[in-house]
Amino acid sequence: LSPAEYAVYLAAFDVRVAVTPALHGAIAKIGYPATDAPGLVVNPLKDGDVALEADGWRIVGTSRWNTNRRGYGAAVRLRFVIELPQQAVGEKLSDGALYVRFGTLPKGGELELRIANSLISTEQAIVNLGETSGKSYDTLRDEAASEWNARLGKIRIGSDDHVAKETFYTCFYRTMLFPLAVWETTAVGEVVHWSPATGKTEKGYYYAGTGFWDTFRALFPLLNFLAPEMNARMMEGLENCWKECGWLPEWSSPGLTNCMIGNNSASVVADAWLSGVRGNFDIENLWNAVEHGANAAHPELKAVGRCGVAHYNELGY
């Protein structure tokens, strides 16, 4: 329906589903037909696990599924929690999924589920539930819409051509989907992240989900202009990656990934600094990272650092 809400009608089941986002979760609204035992299936996918807590009020699980086969570093574990509006009963299915059943609902009845995730721990996912605590679906949707309007409202076009406007703002919306914020805030307000390099919880910001080959030319220069505060945190995240991994990523998913060519991360760092982006990062340390990536080859990943750098230097390129 909009950047602040996704809704779908599942005709085969006569079920309506709508989702509105928080930073590390969402509220989902499910509308059922008249039924004695409405339910849903939660599937953590390959090698995951999921369970209904003993009191029947919350689902907890871990998804270990990572479609990126070229990742490097610690294994990704996404923990998730789903807070239920009704006490439920659960049944484990043969494929490892969980079938959850609720009590009777009137025709057209709805259930709201609060969802949160974390790369750190189940306990942190429960903390992240606080992003939706005390808010109705409509309240969270309105907050998300306000945030999107503030972002997309930074550029206004004067054309009366509806198709041109639709195309422009659709593309503009997509530029605001990356990079992904994988940092989290603890119960005491400290910004931390799960490090794919150390496999531990580290301090500070961290971003992922972007290959700089695709984004250094236009996306990050645009963000330097429209969202410099985000790019300042991105620079902090790159410095944290350098401290923890010993390299800058060329594709972060969320750690170093053996994908892409060239030192495009250097362009992202240089453009941010020359565009006036300043923040809680050490530019000298980031410059050391850029120099290192230009003059060293990663021992295992051809897409990190500069593969063949010895030949480049020997031949004078």
Side-chain angles (χ1 to χ4, degrees):
L1 297 178
S2 76
E5 182 178 39
Y6 175 79
V8 63
Y9 173 61
L10 305 176
F13 307 101
D14 191 23
V15 167
R16 303 173 309 283
V17 180
V19 182
T20 190
L23 187 58
H24 297 94
I27 296 179
K29 183 168 58 175
I30 306 176
Y32 293 92
T35 175
D36 291 335
L40 66 125
V41 174
V42 180
N43 189 345
L45 302 179
K46 184 179 179 181
D47 298 328
D49 56 75
V50 60
L52 180 67
E53 290 187 340
D55 62 6
W57 285 98
R58 189 162 59 198
I59 298 169
V60 297
T62 302
S63 178
R64 297 175 174 84
W65 181 246
N66 183 359
T67 57
N68 187 346
R69 297 292 182 245
R70 294 170 289 192
Y72 183 83
V76 178
R77 300 287 185 266
L78 183 70
R79 281 80 172 184
F80 61 89
V81 295
I82 305 174
E83 195 172 72
L84 306 176
Q86 281 190 14
Q87 197 171 27
V89 295
E91 175 188 349
K92 213 57 178 295
L93 303 180
S94 59
D95 62 356
L98 176 70
Y99 175 41
V100 178
R101 298 190 308 279
F102 302 98
T104 302
L105 284 178
K107 182 175 175 58
E110 291 183 337
L111 293 176
E112 285 190 2
L113 286 68
R114 299 179 187 276
I115 305 164
N117 59 49
S118 171
L119 289 173
I120 295 172
S121 66
T122 299
E123 291 73 21
Q124 181 60 41
I126 294 172
V127 170
N128 293 342
L129 275 174
E131 295 175 359
T132 66
S133 179
K135 299 175 182 178
S136 68
Y137 179 94
D138 291 345
T139 298
L140 190 65
R141 181 193 58 204
D142 291 346
E143 289 180 357
S146 178
E147 176 71 18
W148 275 107
N149 284 334
R151 293 291 180 184
L152 300 180
K154 289 189 174 184
I155 295 179
R156 297 186 184 277
I157 58 176
S159 172
D160 292 326
D161 185 334
H162 176 75
V163 174
K165 284 185 174 181
E166 188 176 71
T167 300
F168 175 82
Y169 284 109
T170 298
C171 294
F172 188 21
Y173 155 73
R174 286 173 176 160
T175 69
M176 296 289 166
L177 296 177
F178 298 95
L180 304 179
V182 295
W183 52 269
E184 305 175 46
T185 304
T186 68
V188 295
E190 184 180 25
V191 172
V192 296
H193 63 274
W194 175 80
S195 171
T198 67
K200 300 177 181 177
T201 302
E202 307 286 356
K203 294 182 178 180
Y205 291 100
Y206 204 94
Y207 286 84
T210 180
F212 295 138
W213 168 273
D214 299 312
T215 54
F216 84 90
R217 296 177 180 86
L219 173 62
F220 282 101
L222 179 69
L223 294 177
N224 286 330
F225 181 59
L226 295 178
E229 73 288 347
M230 198 293 300
N231 262 14
R233 295 194 298 268
M234 177 73 184
M235 293 305 107
E236 291 184 53
L238 287 176
E239 186 181 7
N240 286 330
C241 185
W242 161 241
K243 291 175 181 176
E244 295 159 20
C245 301
W247 303 83
L248 291 179
E250 300 306 330
W251 187 301
S252 51
S253 185
L256 304 178
T257 306
N258 199 27
C259 181
M260 295 295 161
I261 59 173
N263 297 116
N264 302 298
S265 57
S267 301
V268 173
V269 172
D271 187 63
W273 185 255
L274 294 176
S275 297
V277 172
R278 300 293 184 269
N280 189 28
F281 57 90
D282 183 343
I283 191 59
E284 295 297 331
N285 200 21
L286 272 177
W287 175 247
N288 291 337
V290 168
E291 279 198 311
H292 175 71
N295 293 287
H298 193 282
E300 298 180 53
L301 306 179
K302 291 185 177 181
V304 177
R306 184 162 292 180
C307 182
V309 64
H311 297 295
Y312 269 62
N313 291 341
E314 178 184 353
L315 298 173
Y317 292 140

